[in-house]
Amino acid sequence: MTGPMRPAFHEGHVLAAADLSATVEYARAGAARHARHLHEWGIVEGLGLATEPRTDPLTGVRHVEVSVSAGIAVDGTGREVVLTEPVVLRESDFDEVNGADQPTDEPYPVFLTAADREPAQLPGPVSCSGSTAKTRVEESYQILFGRLGDERLAAEQQPPAIGAPPADPPARWLVLLGYVHWADGHFSGVETTARGVAARFAGVRADTVAARSGALTLRTGPEAEEGKPALVLSGGDQPTLVFGLYQGGAVAPLMTLAANGNLTIEGSFSGRMPAGSTLVTSGTATDGMLLPLPSGITPEQVADGRVVIHVHLTPRTPPLGDTTLYSPVEASVDADRRVRCRVRLYDPLKAAAEVVEQPGAVDFLVLATVAPTNGGG
């Protein structure tokens, strides 16, 4: 076994066609290995399915014209597939593959694959041998329609060997672009995902990502869009990790993790609690009030028994005169956590001395304990 062969030349060397071809193939193979092993294959830019409304002039049926936008894909062999301008999908090509199917609402997959073509003869000098062989190969493409379920073929493709060159005919690698709907002999719509398989986009294989500016940003789109999320790792004197949404061109923090470990969040925090752990809340409530649950505990958790609630109430002494006597009558809470608190007041020195019953207040302590599961956790 040998490694890649790099052409080498010297003064006076008579170059044959094989020497020049080897120079081209060496560069192509290196680019293919880079794309195949440092990146994930898929759509790099563009190549979306776009629609334009149309009406059949003979039947009056409304349908859509589907086109593939200009763009670039890299297939699993490391070969680039380039569309320099939009391409309109031909209904006749679809009908040839799927025209015999019964009407269905299921969408059909659309694939892109690389193809080599011989271009028209380019003007140039005639060789000494008088050969008219073409001197260029057009690295072109082919758009294919699949049968229902053929999107699995793209997911099941196996990568070539480590040193293999990019795919050349008859080798074929399918890049899924999306799906088309078909009705009444025409395209009726497009989809990006069907039957759990979506169009695939190119990625990067890297264990280390370094930012030269001192800040690394991850976002969900190629451009910063208002209201879209982003994650920003910043260095400098005060390193931070910030998650937030774009507002006015900057990332408005929703969560900030500082270099000292302090975590700041703008909303509430909730998480899974281990069995036996306890959360507490306390305060003061008056008659008729609903007691709150500790932060992170939901009524659904209490209702289905995942969390057990314990409540302790202590009647509060109301403001009293110097001669007023006070007696709590009731301090309880029902199944809905609603407080029932009544007190009696009596002043024997008043002219019309009588016992007065009125609503009262309590100090409460609510404990929420996570119930153990059958598995002990």
Side-chain angles (χ1 to χ4, degrees):
M1 299 296 291
T2 62
M5 301 292 289
R6 184 178 71 247
F9 307 106
H10 56 81
E11 291 293 336
H13 187 167
V14 177
L15 297 181
D19 296 319
L20 298 177
S21 295
T23 302
V24 173
E25 291 305 316
Y26 179 79
R28 289 187 72 219
R33 288 192 297 272
H34 176 95
R36 188 161 68 233
H37 301 300
L38 271 76
H39 298 272
E40 297 287 343
W41 66 271
I43 298 170
V44 177
E45 179 66 30
L47 302 181
L49 299 181
T51 61
E52 287 289 338
R54 295 287 186 267
T55 301
D56 190 315
L58 299 179
T59 64
V61 172
R62 297 181 66 83
H63 59 98
V64 295
E65 178 185 85
V66 180
S67 61
V68 180
S69 64
I72 301 174
V74 175
D75 70 19
T77 73
R79 173 164 172 163
E80 285 187 349
V81 188
V82 182
L83 273 67
T84 57
E85 57 187 20
V87 178
V88 176
L89 302 187
R90 295 186 297 189
E91 293 178 335
S92 58
D93 291 344
F94 177 91
D95 193 64
E96 183 178 341
V97 177
N98 297 296
D101 285 5
Q102 295 295 318
T104 178
D105 292 331
E106 288 290 317
Y108 292 82
V110 181
F111 301 107
L112 177 71
T113 189
D116 283 349
R117 292 194 176 94
E118 288 190 0
Q121 182 66 46
L122 298 174
V126 179
S127 69
C128 296
S129 64
S131 172
T132 59
K134 290 183 170 58
T135 60
R136 302 289 188 274
V137 175
E138 180 186 355
E139 293 190 339
S140 188
Y141 63 87
Q142 187 177 7
I143 296 176
L144 306 172
F145 294 102
R147 306 280 295 170
L148 293 176
D150 279 355
E151 63 274 3
R152 298 292 177 184
L153 297 177
E156 294 170 358
Q157 295 173 113
Q158 296 300 312
I162 291 293
D168 288 327
R172 171 181 288 177
W173 191 280
L174 301 175
V175 178
L176 178 65
L177 301 181
Y179 302 81
V180 292
H181 287 278
W182 181 261
D184 300 322
H186 297 286
F187 297 125
S188 59
V190 298
E191 302 284 350
T192 57
T193 303
R195 296 176 288 276
V197 181
R200 174 169 173 159
F201 293 87
V204 177
R205 299 182 182 184
D207 295 286
T208 301
V209 179
R212 291 169 295 176
S213 67
L216 181 66
T217 302
L218 299 178
R219 57 176 178 243
T220 56
E223 302 294 335
E225 297 183 42
E226 195 77 4
K228 295 296 184 179
L231 186 68
V232 182
L233 176 62
S234 301
D237 296 334
Q238 296 181 335
T240 58
L241 178 64
V242 172
F243 171 78
L245 305 178
Y246 278 107
Q247 293 182 8
V251 177
L254 294 176
M255 181 189 74
T256 302
L257 179 61
N260 61 5
N262 289 343
L263 177 65
T264 303
I265 59 176
E266 299 301 316
S268 61
F269 176 81
S270 63
R272 183 175 180 179
M273 296 171 54
S277 59
T278 301
L279 292 178
V280 179
T281 188
S282 61
T284 301
T286 57
D287 182 66
M289 286 183 57
L290 287 176
L291 295 183
L293 291 171
S295 178
I297 300 298
T298 65
E300 291 76 17
Q301 293 173 314
V302 177
D304 60 23
R306 285 177 289 168
V307 173
V308 178
I309 296 296
H310 307 272
V311 179
H312 178 75
L313 302 179
T314 302
R316 288 181 66 89
T317 302
L320 301 173
D322 294 339
T323 59
T324 303
L325 302 177
Y326 151 76
S327 174
V329 177
E330 180 181 8
S332 62
V333 62
D334 63 17
D336 296 325
R337 305 191 314 282
R338 188 177 299 279
V339 170
R340 176 68 176 172
C341 180
R342 307 292 293 179
V343 297
R344 288 175 182 167
L345 303 178
Y346 175 68
D347 189 345
L349 300 183
K350 281 189 176 182
E354 61 179 346
V355 176
V356 177
E357 185 171 308
Q358 65 182 40
V362 294
D363 293 326
F364 67 83
L365 182 69
V366 178
L367 294 88
T369 301
V370 179
T373 62
N374 292 335

